[in-house]
Every structure is written in structure tokens, then in C-alpha cells.
């Protein structure tokens, strides 16, 4: 239960890996990037927005202005983390449900994320005991091998206590709430909807899928591209990273070295301006060696276009 049970599909694995690398990158030692030097003038905080109203579609945030090395002035919008309420998940559900039902988009996203944690947890004690007994006997929990049954049992019982009081039918509706928030423009929901996959029998490689499995997984891939595109248009820095890796890898989207260079270049400049440690100087230098001069110029132009997005640049934790 402590491990992710989301993804056997190529799509989901890619998205998980890319975003995990993004978050981990914030703790890495910065690399020297001679081709990505920003203005020495530090960003200036120009406003700090108050907490959102009940129906707000924007998390608490601060806004700074900075000049990147392309000469473009950008806004660095730092969002506060949309954490679940403190206490048991069931208590958080009771608090968030009326807020979400009233149309609070942030609460819809937080509620969906909370319910996701309870999606595979038994909803009654009899089902809990049957599930515990089953993985002791089979050393499997669902489709996963259980190497340490006692630890698995402890985790499951903890989650059962956390989720006790949330109706079973509510738990499976996690994605509906996140999608409502994503459709309303909540960047965090747009980025995370592709990570919260619906229960299904996923196959590891699309080429090995049955026809119906392939159709469902291809639909999820198209959905991931759609919502990540919306997040990028809304200024998401994390979406820049995802598109950079998609274009570089050629799995989710056709490989495009110019687009990959442009997205990594824009991302590197944003990270420099926001004093984030994750830099891409070495990566960009390596890409330059493989690109023609005309392609590098095209990539630089595209990077400036991405940075010129009036919604840029939203940093979500």
C-alpha cells in the first residue's frame, strides 16, 4: 500500500518519472551553466496576495519580477502548497466535501487528492480482515508481491483508520473532483489529473495491449497531453519540464529536438531567475552539439516565445 499502484502503462510511468525528477531536482546542487546567465539584479517582490475567497480559483501566492538572460521580464508566481486539512483523512473529507459541493475549485482539487489516498482501502472491517488474510496466504496484495506482510498489514490498517467514515462510493469519485478543478483552470489539478489514473487493468506496453485496453490507455495519453498543454498555457513551470522531456524522449509526443531544446532553455532561465538549483546548462550544451545553427536559433526563438507567455511563470510546489 505504501508504493504507488498507479501505473503499468508507458504513459503513466513517463509522467511519474518526469515529475518525480522535477521535484527531486529542487534539492540538487546547481550546475554551472555558462550559456544561461541571468541578470544580476535580484527579483523584486511586487505583491503578496491574500488567502483565496471561498470560490477562488487561485491558491495563496506571491509574485516577483525578474529579467532572464533572453532579456524578457517575467513574473515569478510562487504558489503555496495545496495541502489536505490536518488530521485524519476522514475528517478532512467532512470539511472539504461541503466546500467542494459549493463550487470551491481549490477544495475540489484537495478533496479529489484526499480521496485518491483511500481509493483502494477497504471500507468495512470485514473486508479489511479478508484482505489482510489474503496477502498473508498468497504473499500478494492485488497485483503486487508482498515481501513484508507485517509491514503491509500495518500500513493497510493505518490507512483504514485514516479513511474510516468516508463512504465507499465517494472514494471512487476522486478523479471526478480533480477533473472539475482542472476544467476550471486549477493548474495543480491539470498537472496531477494524469497521475491519478482510474482503476483499470493496465498493460505495460501499448503494443501488447488488447484492443480495448489500448483504446483506453491511448485516451488517457491524449487527456494527459491536453491537460498538460492547458497548464503550460496557464504559465506552469512544471509543464515546461514535462513537455521538454516528452519532446526529448519521443514517447508521449513525437521527438522534436528543437522543441525539447526550447523548453529546457526556457525552464533553465526560469530556474535561474527563481534561484532554483536545478539547471540544464550541461544538457543544453550537449544538445547544441547535435543541432544545426539554424535549429539552435529556432529553439532560442521558441524559448523566448514560451517565456513571453503573459501567464508565465507559475511555480507550484
Amino acid at each position: 500500500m505504501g508504493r504507488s499502484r498507479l501505473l503499468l502503462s508507458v504513459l503513466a510511468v513517463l509522467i511519474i518519472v518526469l515529475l518525480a525528477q522535477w521535484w527531486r531536482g529542487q534539492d540538487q546542487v546547481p550546475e554551472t551553466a555558462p550559456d544561461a546567465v541571468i541578470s544580476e539584479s535580484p527579483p523584486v517582490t511586487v505583491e503578496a496576495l491574500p488567502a483565496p475567497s471561498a470560490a477562488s480559483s487561485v491558491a495563496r501566492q506571491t509574485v516577483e519580477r525578474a529579467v532572464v538572460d533572453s532579456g524578457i521580464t517575467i513574473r515569478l508566481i510562487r504558489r503555496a502548497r495545496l495541502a489536505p486539512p490536518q488530521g485524519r483523512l476522514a475528517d478532512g473529507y467532512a470539511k472539504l466535501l461541503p466546500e467542494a459541493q459549493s463550487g470551491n475549485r481549490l477544495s475540489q482539487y484537495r478533496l479529489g487528492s484526499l480521496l485518491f489516498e483511500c481509493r483502494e482501502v477497504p471500507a468495512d472491517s470485514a473486508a479489511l480482515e479478508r484482505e489482510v488474510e489474503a496477502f498473508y496466504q498468497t504473499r500478494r496484495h492485488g497485483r503486487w508481491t508482498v515481501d513484508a506482510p507485517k509491514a503491509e498489514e500495518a500500513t493497510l490498517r493505518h490507512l483504514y483508520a485514516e479513511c474510516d467514515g468516508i463512504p465507499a462510493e465517494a472514494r471512487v469519485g476522486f478523479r471526478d473532483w480533480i477533473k472539475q478543478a482542472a476544467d476550471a483552470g486549477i493548474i495543480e489539478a491539470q498537472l496531477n489529473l494524469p497521475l491519478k489514473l482510474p482503476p483499470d487493468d493496465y498493460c505495460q506496453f501499448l503494443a501488447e495491449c488488447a484492443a480495448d485496453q489500448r483504446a483506453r490507455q491511448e485516451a488517457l495519453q491524449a487527456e494527459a497531453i491536453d491537460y498538460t498543454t492547458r497548464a503550460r498555457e496557464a504559465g506552469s513551470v512544471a509543464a515546461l519540464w514535462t513537455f521538454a522531456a516528452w519532446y526529448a524522449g519521443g514517447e508521449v509526443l513525437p521527438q522534436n529536438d528543437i522543441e525539447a531544446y526550447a523548453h529546457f532553455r526556457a525552464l533553465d532561465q526560469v530556474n535561474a531567475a527563481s534561484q532554483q538549483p536545478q539547471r540544464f546548462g550541461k544538457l543544453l550544451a550537449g544538445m547544441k552539439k547535435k543541432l544545426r545553427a539554424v535549429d539552435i536559433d529556432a529553439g532560442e526563438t521558441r524559448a523566448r516565445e514560451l517565456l513571453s507567455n503573459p501567464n508565465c511563470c507559475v511555480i507550484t510546489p
Side-chain angles (χ1 to χ4, degrees):
M1 295 298 295
R3 57 189 175 273
S4 172
R5 297 193 170 188
L6 289 179
L7 314 188
L8 293 177
S9 68
V10 173
L11 159 67
V13 169
L14 280 169
I15 296 174
I16 285 287
V17 169
L18 299 182
L19 292 182
Q21 288 175 335
W22 164 260
W23 306 135
R24 287 198 301 270
Q26 307 314 305
D27 297 324
Q28 294 177 358
V29 176
E31 64 172 80
T32 302
D35 57 331
V37 180
I38 65 166
S39 168
E40 294 182 357
S41 300
V44 178
T45 301
V46 295
E47 58 182 314
L49 301 184
S53 63
S56 175
S57 62
V58 178
R60 182 188 293 273
Q61 62 187 32
T62 60
V63 182
E64 305 165 359
R65 296 190 185 277
V67 179
V68 296
D69 72 306
S70 291
I72 298 170
T73 300
I74 64 172
R75 294 187 308 157
L76 293 171
I77 304 170
R78 302 178 191 266
R79 293 277 182 87
R81 178 171 175 262
L82 295 177
Q86 294 183 348
R88 294 171 60 245
L89 294 174
D91 296 336
Y93 168 79
K95 177 181 185 299
L96 290 172
L97 181 61
E99 297 176 6
Q101 290 173 331
S102 72
N104 185 313
R105 303 305 186 185
L106 297 181
S107 293
Q108 289 172 353
Y109 169 66
R110 295 170 73 203
L111 177 61
S113 299
L114 181 152
L115 291 172
F116 178 76
E117 300 300 320
C118 299
R119 70 198 185 284
E120 294 182 335
V121 179
D124 63 78
S125 59
L128 172 67
E129 298 306 326
R130 288 194 299 271
E131 196 162 319
V132 170
E133 182 180 0
F135 64 68
Y136 269 104
Q137 292 180 349
T138 65
R139 295 299 174 119
R140 294 190 65 82
H141 197 173
R143 64 174 78 93
W144 303 97
T145 300
V146 175
D147 296 322
K150 287 186 178 180
E152 187 81 357
E153 178 184 2
T155 300
L156 182 59
R157 291 191 184 280
H158 172 74
L159 284 173
Y160 176 82
E162 286 282 305
C163 300
D164 187 28
I166 302 177
E169 61 274 14
R171 301 180 187 192
V172 297
F174 66 90
R175 213 166 189 271
D176 294 334
W177 288 114
I178 297 174
K179 191 173 185 301
Q180 284 189 58
D183 288 336
I186 302 298
I187 290 177
E188 292 84 348
Q190 293 167 342
L191 292 171
N192 282 282
L193 182 65
L195 306 181
K196 313 297 191 202
L197 295 183
D200 202 348
D201 183 20
Y202 295 103
C203 53
Q204 186 172 4
F205 302 103
L206 286 178
E208 300 174 358
C209 294
D212 58 335
Q213 288 177 313
R214 184 182 182 89
R216 292 195 299 273
Q217 290 182 210
E218 286 179 339
L220 287 170
Q221 179 167 298
E223 179 189 71
I225 295 169
D226 175 26
Y227 281 97
T228 309
T229 299
R230 298 190 204 185
R232 182 182 62 180
E233 292 173 350
S236 168
V237 175
L240 289 177
W241 162 244
T242 301
F243 269 99
W246 278 350
Y247 280 122
E251 295 288 344
V252 178
L253 291 172
Q255 185 173 358
N256 188 318
D257 293 339
I258 295 174
E259 285 288 342
Y261 176 89
H263 282 77
F264 277 123
R265 179 76 167 113
L267 178 60
D268 193 64
Q269 293 181 69
V270 173
N271 282 1
S274 59
Q275 300 179 2
Q276 298 291 335
Q278 176 77 340
R279 299 297 304 279
F280 297 95
K282 292 180 181 178
L283 173 65
L284 289 165
M287 295 181 75
K288 280 184 174 182
K289 294 178 181 179
K290 300 177 181 179
L291 292 172
R292 301 174 302 169
V294 65
D295 294 332
I296 295 173
D297 289 342
E300 292 288 344
T301 298
R302 175 65 172 140
R304 288 193 293 272
E305 179 182 315
L306 292 168
L307 293 167
S308 297
N309 176 358
N311 296 319
C312 189
C313 303
V314 182
I315 301 172
T316 50

